[in-house]
Amino acid sequence: QVQLVESGGGLVQPGGSLRLSCVVSGTIFSEKAMGWFRQAPGKQREFVAGLSSTGLSTYYAGSVQGRSTISRENAKNTVYLQINRLKPEDTAIYYCAVRGVGHATTSPNDYDSWGQGTQVTVSS
């Protein structure tokens, strides 16, 4: 059974930074693409960033492009999401997800397993 556990969320002031982590078990992590998504209250889940199994291809939503970095450490079965210059509109529950193949996409329907999420709140 595939399990994903996110961590690193919290309350941060506007302009601050966070690094989210997601540890994956129960699958061959190095062969899987990974994605980060988020869901704000009353809104649909949206794509934030994606990363191929090799780590060579990355994808970002326009809302975080230029201020976020997705990365992976296959030896630790872990994917990270660094977000800088945080804004109040970044407030959401952040989820990591694993895809069954090595190429990442932006659609949540393409991902097979999900974590429980970690809350990120950006407020002064």
Side-chain angles (χ1 to χ4, degrees):
Q1 183 179 358
V2 181
Q3 291 187 323
L4 299 87
V5 180
E6 302 98 334
S7 62
L11 175 64
V12 63
Q13 292 188 341
S17 299
L18 277 178
R19 188 175 84 153
L20 307 180
S21 301
C22 173
V23 179
V24 182
S25 61
T27 189
I28 304 175
F29 179 74
S30 61
E31 297 181 354
K32 312 298 184 184
M34 297 297 300
W36 282 97
F37 295 78
R38 66 187 182 187
Q39 188 165 17
K43 295 188 177 181
Q44 290 188 332
R45 190 169 297 190
E46 64 175 5
F47 171 78
V48 178
L51 180 66
S52 65
S53 59
T54 62
L56 298 178
S57 297
T58 58
Y59 310 88
Y60 296 96
S63 57
V64 301
Q65 180 80 44
R67 59 187 183 96
S68 65
T69 302
I70 185 171
S71 60
R72 65 192 298 154
E73 192 168 358
N74 285 346
K76 294 185 177 181
N77 284 11
T78 302
V79 62
Y80 305 97
L81 179 68
Q82 173 83 30
I83 309 180
N84 302 318
R85 303 191 302 278
L86 281 158
K87 307 174 183 179
E89 51 263 44
D90 292 318
T91 295
I93 299 175
Y94 284 70
Y95 300 89
C96 67
V98 61
R99 192 162 185 240
V101 295
H103 178 67
T105 68
T106 62
S107 171
N109 296 328
D110 293 335
Y111 291 78
D112 303 309
S113 299
W114 295 77
Q116 293 298 308
T118 185
Q119 176 71 49
V120 172
T121 303
V122 184
S123 175
S124 56

